[in-house]
Amino acid sequence: MSNARANHLTRRGIIAAGGALGLGAVLAACGDDDSKSGGSKSTESAAAKSGPWTFKDDRGTTVKLDKIPANIVAFTGVAAALHDYGVQVKGVFGPTKTTDGKADVQAGDMDITKVEVIGNVWDEFNVEKYAALAPDVLISTTFDNAGTLWYVPEASKDKIAKLAPSVAVSVYDRQITAPLERMWELAESLGADMTAAADAKKRFETAATRLRAAAKAKPEIKVMAGSASDQLFYVSGSNLSIDLEYFKALGVNFIEPPESAKAEGGGWYESLSWENVDKYKADIIMMDDRSSTIQPADIAKPTWKQLPAVKAGQVISRSPEPILSYDKCVPLLETLAEALEKAKKVA
């Protein structure tokens, strides 16, 4: 996990109590019937586009509705994946707009002018706007075994739960192929025509074969997953993260910080001062592409510029929170495969 993820999870326990004003009447009208979270694997296709909808999520709970949800509110990355499958959402929460008003990298190909943004940063979720959308279901990812909904604030989660049932797709301690399959199943259950998506799935499989071959041909090349902030550099271990676990399974040789060093980062990463950024000898560095982190072109630290991989131009992007459609995940595999194919031993 990157620094942003783990910091977010740690902060959940100390967020100040809050909540939208004037919501009491809305919540009272909704009652408690919809307060229970649910969701997971669909039991039947939504080909008829009507009739009851059932989905069992990765928390092991099931959402049952009288009809396929029409008013969907989702975490931005989930909404972007559903968009790729032809399922449109009404509202989003999570990184959606950059400071200059453009679409965040996690918004993918969504037209962000056509969705209601009810929260754009951590701990921001406008419950009144959410209620006004009359949501049928809320969909997010979860980064822990407890099923905590990503980017749903701790302080207002109970109010949010009363307005609509929720579905969670786990992106914790598994290979990326598992949540990709779940998102496919979810989109199909929501009425998506998956015919066109089948081509993207084949391209994903082809890209995986290419990455496996590249890793096998260059076993000596060491890859480091990093993330940058002004004060610290974070080195991710390959465990827990869905992309790194999969790449490792394909044979990529990752630098692995010891578990003791990752303790402060919740087991996801080790924090290094910029003076110690050369602790690990990497031939390729994969850098966090999210807007909450400093991008490689903007890193002015002298110690960064002296790293062998940086001097050799062997720095590529990484999406720690990948958009879970096959179309968006193909480039992740291809970028790393190409980097390995071209890489020289520099560390």
Side-chain angles (χ1 to χ4, degrees):
M1 177 185 264
S2 72
N3 58 304
R5 284 187 192 164
N7 286 345
H8 288 171
L9 290 172
T10 301
R11 288 169 55 200
R12 284 186 181 276
I14 57 174
I15 292 172
L21 297 175
L23 194 63
V26 177
L27 296 177
C30 291
D32 293 331
D33 290 343
D34 292 333
S35 64
K36 294 181 180 179
S37 298
S40 192
K41 188 174 180 180
S42 177
T43 55
E44 53 185 297
S45 171
K49 312 284 184 177
S50 62
W53 183 76
T54 300
F55 194 84
K56 186 179 180 184
D57 78 357
D58 290 335
R59 296 171 299 185
T61 53
T62 302
V63 172
K64 294 182 179 181
L65 300 175
D66 293 337
K67 60 181 180 179
I68 296 171
N71 295 342
I72 302 170
V73 176
F75 170 67
T76 302
V78 170
L82 292 176
H83 172 83
D84 286 353
Y85 291 131
V87 177
Q88 305 305 317
V89 306
K90 294 293 181 66
V92 296
F93 56 94
T96 307
K97 295 180 180 180
T98 58
T99 53
D100 58 2
K102 295 181 180 179
D104 189 274
V105 64
Q106 290 185 258
D109 293 331
M110 276 196 304
D111 183 345
I112 61 173
T113 67
K114 294 184 178 179
V115 293
E116 182 74 48
V117 180
I118 60 178
N120 193 58
V121 297
W122 181 255
D123 205 30
E124 179 182 85
F125 192 112
N126 191 313
V127 187
E128 290 183 323
K129 280 187 178 181
Y130 178 57
L133 292 173
D136 294 320
V137 67
L138 180 148
I139 309 173
S140 188
T141 50
T142 180
F143 281 93
D144 57 35
N145 282 326
T148 305
L149 294 171
W150 192 232
Y151 266 80
V152 172
E154 181 73 20
S156 54
K157 67 177 183 179
D158 292 338
K159 294 178 181 179
I160 293 167
K162 290 182 178 182
L163 293 166
S166 61
V167 165
V169 175
S170 178
V171 287
Y172 176 70
D173 196 17
R174 62 199 59 199
Q175 296 178 24
I176 196 171
T177 45
L180 274 172
E181 290 171 2
R182 297 313 326 278
M183 196 62 70
W184 175 291
E185 293 164 358
L186 177 59
E188 189 173 34
S189 79
L190 292 169
D193 182 353
M194 310 305 288
T195 305
D199 175 65
K201 189 172 184 179
K202 289 180 181 178
R203 288 189 289 112
F204 178 88
E205 293 165 352
T206 299
T209 299
R210 177 185 176 185
L211 179 54
R212 187 189 296 276
K216 184 177 182 180
K218 299 278 188 75
E220 74 282 5
I221 297 297
K222 289 185 174 291
V223 180
M224 179 169 68
S227 185
S229 71
D230 183 58
Q231 299 298 320
L232 296 170
F233 183 83
Y234 306 87
V235 180
S236 295
S238 63
N239 293 330
L240 304 182
S241 297
I242 57 173
D243 59 330
L244 302 184
E245 285 204 10
Y246 184 56
F247 299 156
K248 180 173 65 174
L250 292 176
V252 177
N253 183 7
F254 281 105
I255 285 172
E256 301 283 1
E259 291 302 317
S260 57
K262 294 187 295 181
E264 185 179 348
W268 293 85
Y269 62 81
E270 177 182 3
S271 304
L272 297 176
S273 66
W274 283 103
E275 289 76 14
N276 295 316
V277 73
D278 60 351
K279 177 178 179 179
Y280 299 108
K281 311 305 178 184
D283 300 296
I284 294 174
I285 303 176
M286 302 175 68
M287 289 297 291
D288 190 336
D289 68 355
R290 292 173 299 176
S291 57
S292 59
T293 66
I294 301 176
Q295 297 307 299
D298 299 320
I299 300 175
K301 307 291 185 181
T303 49
W304 163 260
K305 294 182 179 181
Q306 291 304 310
L307 293 178
V310 176
K311 293 172 71 174
Q314 295 181 172
V315 178
I316 61 174
S317 65
R318 175 199 169 208
S319 298
E321 292 184 59
I323 295 172
L324 295 171
S325 71
Y326 286 101
D327 180 70
K328 291 297 184 293
C329 288
V330 169
L332 309 184
L333 297 169
E334 291 180 336
T335 297
L336 182 53
E338 182 179 8
L340 283 169
E341 291 163 355
K342 296 179 178 180
K344 296 180 179 178
K345 186 69 180 173
V346 295

